[in-house]
Amino acid sequence: MLPKSIVVAAVLALLAGVNGAPTFKLRGRDVDFDYNNDKVYGVNLGGWFVLEPWITPSIFEATNNNAIVDEFTLTQALGQDAASSVLTNHWNTWITQDDFNQIAAAGLNHVRIPIGYWAVAPLQGDPYVQGQLPVLDKAIGWARSAGLKVLLDLHGAPGSQNGFDNSGRKGPVDWQQGSTVSQTLTAISNLAERYAGDTDVVTAIELLNEPLGPDINLDELKQFYYDGWGNVRNNMAYTVVTIHDAFEDIDSFWNGFMNAQAGVNNVMLDTHIYQIFDQGQVSQSPAQHVAAACGSASPLAGTDKWTIVGEWTGAQTDCAKWLNGLGIGARYDGTMAGSSYVGSCDGKYTGTVAALSDTDKQNIRSFTEAQLDAYETHTGWIWWTWHTESAPEWDMQELIANGLFPQPLSDRRCE
């Protein structure tokens, strides 16, 4: 970690516009990917090292326990031995070298790999099990063999940074309480140190996925980003440090922060764009979804640092089983409490891409193309997610196989 005085000085220089403050240009040439001139075409390997019930429902169904809603409660209920057995098998089978090869063959150049703090800096008393890192080590080798770059993403922090099941623990947002921030910084240091010799593949590290801006102290988040940048720099001089927008405006809130004039190098902003997580969004027509996607191009182009859309989907509904949480219904078909019916989830709750209706297929394809056009106005995009057990609107592997994700990536049928 950088000394606090250095970090504070950098922040003050940024905010106050101190004359003579050191400035650094983004040094894309010192990273093993040209983020200045080449586009990021990527996919998330979701549900691998951080479980999400909607991606792998079979793991949760096997427990026959509705109180198990995330990785924390799963490992807590199973106990160390049983949880280790279940998860070790999952880690070794969910993603393999063949997946990396398929991803590269589809024209993609990046994978974003979510990892929880418990894999790299476990805390005493947590029920989580370890064993992920040897598999992640293999994944770095698979990426190298396939010619892919890796963005390592700290997806879950102590206390939970957002209260979502994808943070490892669903419930209150207790990150920033007690020692949770320093514990998160330790996890970042450990991750950067472990892969310091793999910067030909690990070209970016994301400090924290989706901290929930409205529920946390944003000034403390900004300080955490500076400190996390310092922790990465202690081990990796040029690896891109990625910061999530915390659901704040990417231009009005984040422009001017950790940009080329701030005394830091190689920082990238990550924003996630979904159009399905409130009633108004799922009520939009297909044409309205496309128009909204096109409208995101200008804000993306207006940011003052590299900016990726690090999560997005072709889904126009929230129908996928347990997408909103285990046992929680969907807004789209009115099965979520307080929602109102928009349409049927038939074929989209569970199923295959091949079995989708022709209308659903066309809607996914056109919406996907509109988003590709918009997100390529800046640094690029990373789709969520490579594959699922049964969520056809989200499964890139199946969408590619069925002609709903452009191949080659430049193919735009809807222009």
Side-chain angles (χ1 to χ4, degrees):
M1 187 187 307
L2 285 176
K4 198 80 164 185
S5 59
I6 294 177
V7 174
V8 171
V11 176
L12 291 176
L14 166 65
L15 296 179
V18 175
N19 291 331
T23 61
F24 298 88
K25 293 183 179 180
L26 297 176
R27 301 283 298 278
R29 65 184 181 277
D30 296 313
V31 183
D32 211 305
F33 184 84
D34 188 354
Y35 290 97
N36 283 321
N37 298 301
D38 296 332
K39 298 299 182 186
V40 172
Y41 305 135
V43 65
N44 284 275
L45 303 183
W48 191 10
F49 298 121
V50 180
L51 293 182
E52 299 190 34
W54 73 273
I55 297 178
T56 55
S58 67
I59 292 177
F60 292 83
E61 289 169 335
T63 68
N64 198 31
N65 183 345
N66 291 334
I68 296 175
V69 297
D70 51 27
E71 188 162 340
F72 185 95
T73 51
L74 178 79
T75 52
Q76 186 178 55
L78 293 181
Q80 290 282 301
D81 291 344
S84 181
S85 176
V86 168
L87 291 178
T88 297
N89 177 69
H90 171 68
W91 298 329
N92 283 291
T93 58
W94 184 245
I95 298 288
T96 67
Q97 173 77 74
D98 183 57
D99 291 290
F100 281 79
N101 294 343
Q102 288 184 50
I103 290 166
L108 278 66
N109 52 35
H110 279 68
V111 291
R112 180 173 179 254
I113 304 181
I115 193 83
Y117 77 87
W118 54 91
V120 289
L123 299 177
Q124 186 175 3
D126 276 355
Y128 299 113
V129 297
Q130 285 69 52
Q132 304 92 330
L133 291 182
V135 185
L136 181 56
D137 294 344
K138 290 181 182 179
I140 303 305
W142 296 338
R144 181 179 289 113
S145 176
L148 295 168
K149 304 307 179 186
V150 172
L151 188 163
L152 293 177
D153 153 46
L154 192 68
H155 216 70
S160 180
Q161 72 278 16
N162 52 34
F164 306 155
D165 58 16
N166 59 46
S167 72
R169 188 171 190 177
K170 184 178 181 179
V173 179
D174 287 334
W175 188 67
Q176 295 185 333
Q177 305 301 310
S179 301
T180 54
V181 172
S182 63
Q183 291 162 348
T184 308
L185 290 167
T186 297
I188 291 166
S189 291
N190 292 350
L191 197 62
E193 181 178 3
R194 188 178 187 94
Y195 297 107
D198 296 296
T199 54
D200 60 314
V201 176
V202 180
T203 55
I205 290 181
E206 185 154 1
L207 301 180
L208 190 58
N209 177 68
E210 294 186 348
L212 190 59
D215 285 15
I216 62 174
N217 184 308
L218 290 170
D219 289 335
E220 291 181 12
L221 176 66
K222 288 182 173 180
Q223 181 63 58
F224 164 77
Y225 282 162
Y226 268 102
D227 292 344
W229 177 88
N231 285 17
V232 173
R233 287 290 167 266
N234 286 340
N235 296 279
M236 298 167 155
Y238 301 110
T239 298
V240 173
V241 175
T242 307
I243 60 173
H244 186 264
D245 65 11
F247 306 103
E248 300 295 331
D249 188 271
I250 60 175
D251 294 317
S252 64
F253 189 86
W254 290 108
N255 278 351
F257 178 75
M258 295 188 84
N259 60 6
Q261 289 73 46
V264 296
N265 68 325
N266 292 4
V267 172
M268 181 160 61
L269 185 66
D270 176 21
T271 187
H272 298 169
I273 301 179
Y274 295 116
Q275 295 187 33
I276 54 173
F277 290 118
D278 68 44
Q279 188 68 43
Q281 289 179 325
V282 297
S283 299
Q284 292 181 121
S285 69
Q288 288 173 319
H289 281 291
V290 167
C294 295
S296 65
S298 179
L300 287 167
T303 62
D304 65 358
K305 58 185 69 67
W306 296 326
T307 302
I308 56 167
V309 180
E311 292 187 21
W312 62 286
T313 177
Q316 297 183 8
T317 79
D318 63 340
C319 286
K321 179 180 179 179
W322 298 344
L323 178 64
N324 295 304
L326 195 149
I328 298 175
R331 298 168 186 85
Y332 191 76
D333 67 357
T335 55
M336 175 187 278
S339 65
S340 55
Y341 182 88
V342 177
S344 172
C345 283
D346 288 351
K348 298 185 284 291
Y349 179 68
T350 61
T352 65
V353 172
L356 288 169
S357 70
D358 289 343
T359 298
D360 284 335
K361 290 177 180 178
Q362 177 57 42
N363 289 340
I364 290 172
R365 173 81 192 209
S366 59
F367 187 37
T368 297
E369 290 189 15
Q371 291 181 92
L372 291 172
D373 288 344
Y375 305 160
E376 289 171 14
T377 58
H378 207 343
T379 311
W381 48 264
I382 306 179
W383 172 281
W384 189 278
T385 183
W386 172 239
H387 68 184
T388 70
E389 288 182 346
S390 59
E393 294 178 287
W394 297 78
D395 194 309
M396 177 186 266
Q397 187 178 38
E398 271 208 32
L399 290 166
I400 289 173
N402 286 272
L404 301 191
F405 199 99
Q407 291 289 283
L409 296 175
S410 58
D411 180 28
R412 301 290 194 273
R413 299 176 186 173
C414 301
E415 291 180 338

